[in-house]
Amino acid sequence: PTGGPPTAATADQPHRSDCQAEQTCATSAGPHDCSRGPSRVMLPLMSSPVLLAGKPLPLNELSPADFEGFVHGALHVLAPRHGFTLGQLSGAAGDGGFDCDGQRIPDGRLICIQAKRFSTDALSIPHVAFELAKVALTSCLKGAAPKEHYFITSGKVRNVLNEALREERRGKLVAEAIKIGLGDDRLNVVRDEMHVQRRDVQETITNYIEQLDRIPVWSGDAFDRQLGLVWSQLTGLIQRYFTVER
C-alpha cells in the first residue's frame, strides 16, 4: 500500500513510512516523578483474528484485554519516538484508570496511557471526560501527577472531541468531567474517599485537565499508521495477536 495501513504482505519488510500520525493534543503545565516494576506482557486471551493480505490490522476484532496487550507491546517500540519510556501493563481493577504508564524523557514526568477498544462506537467527549475524571481523582489520592495522558482507540474519534482538545483551556472536557466526577455512580468509591480526605472533587478535576501538557488521542487509523513506521520490528507481536494469512 502507498501510505496506507500495514498489511500481511509487508510483515517481513519495513512498511511505508510516508504518512504522519493523526494525533490531537493540547498544551498547559504541572509536576511528578514515578518508577514502576518490570513490564509484564499480556498474552492473547481469545482465538486470534485473521490478518488478511492487503488489509488493515483488524484491531476491533481483538478482545479489550488483547487490545490493551497489543498496544502495550507496540508502545515498547513506539515510545522512544514519542519521547518516553514505557512502564508496566496494569491489566487489573484498581489501576486508577492507567492501562499502562510511561516516563517522559528527559524529565521523568509520569505519563498515563489508556487503550480503548471500540467495535462500534467512536471515542467522544463523554468517554474521554470519564477517564480524565477517574484518573484525576485516583492520582490525587495516590499523590501522582501525570503530565501527559494518551488515549489510543481501535476505532474512530469524533470531530467534537478533536475540537474540544484544541480549546486553550479545554473547557468542554473540564465541564463534562466535572459533571461525571460529581455524579457518576461508577466513581462513588473514589469520590467518597476524596470527601473523607477533604479533597475538592471539582477543583481536582479542573486542575488535572488544565495542567496536562498534552492529551494525544490516536484513532485506530492513526495508531495503524504509527505501526507502519516500525512495522519491521513488530513481526513477533503481530504473530502473537493475529493469524497472518500469506
Side-chain angles (χ1 to χ4, degrees):
T2 304
T7 67
T10 59
D12 294 320
Q13 59 188 12
H15 183 64
R16 285 291 297 267
S17 60
D18 49 349
C19 275
Q20 295 300 315
E22 169 192 316
Q23 298 180 38
T24 306
C25 62
T27 55
S28 229
H32 184 61
D33 180 71
C34 176
S35 61
R36 299 263 178 141
S39 298
R40 174 172 63 84
V41 175
M42 181 178 289
L43 295 177
L45 304 176
M46 303 175 66
S47 58
S48 301
V50 176
L51 174 56
L52 299 173
K55 299 294 184 181
L57 284 169
L59 297 172
N60 280 332
E61 295 180 26
L62 292 170
S63 70
D66 283 358
F67 181 66
E68 288 181 15
F70 179 74
V71 168
H72 185 257
L75 286 178
H76 271 292
V77 180
L78 288 170
R81 288 174 163 262
H82 294 277
F84 66 93
T85 59
L86 191 65
Q88 66 184 16
L89 179 66
S90 119
D95 59 7
F98 287 61
D99 292 326
C100 53
D101 63 20
Q103 286 186 301
R104 194 165 64 182
I105 302 169
D107 61 12
R109 295 293 181 85
L110 181 64
I111 296 175
C112 173
I113 301 165
Q114 293 186 289
K116 298 297 171 189
R117 198 273 286 165
F118 287 119
S119 56
T120 54
D121 205 359
L123 196 68
S124 193
I125 288 177
H127 300 123
V128 169
F130 173 80
E131 299 299 339
L132 290 171
K134 178 169 66 173
V135 171
L137 299 182
T138 55
S139 294
C140 174
L141 293 171
K142 294 179 178 181
K147 291 299 295 171
E148 299 184 20
H149 194 139
Y150 275 72
F151 291 90
I152 302 174
T153 181
S154 62
K156 297 183 182 301
V157 175
R158 294 197 184 279
N159 288 336
V160 66
L161 173 57
N162 287 329
E163 292 167 3
L165 287 163
R166 286 193 288 267
E167 291 181 349
E168 185 177 355
R169 295 180 66 85
R170 303 165 182 151
K172 288 189 179 69
L173 278 174
V174 169
E176 183 68 17
I178 288 173
K179 181 174 75 174
I180 290 169
L182 293 174
D184 194 303
D185 289 345
R186 293 172 293 176
L187 297 179
N188 280 346
V189 173
V190 66
R191 186 166 50 241
D192 289 346
E193 184 60 28
M194 289 285 291
H195 292 154
V196 168
Q197 295 192 21
R198 299 176 183 266
R199 307 288 184 92
D200 187 274
V201 170
Q202 181 169 332
E203 181 182 7
T204 297
I205 292 172
T206 300
N207 289 342
Y208 177 73
I209 296 174
E210 289 185 351
Q211 292 178 17
L212 282 168
D213 288 341
R214 299 197 317 138
I215 309 178
V217 176
W218 294 355
S219 67
D221 288 344
F223 181 44
D224 199 85
R225 287 196 292 274
Q226 283 288 322
L227 299 176
L229 302 176
V230 293
W231 190 249
S232 63
Q233 302 174 57
L234 299 175
T235 302
L237 182 72
I238 297 292
Q239 292 175 346
R240 186 186 309 149
Y241 285 90
F242 300 93
T243 299
V244 181
E245 183 185 83
R246 299 291 181 179

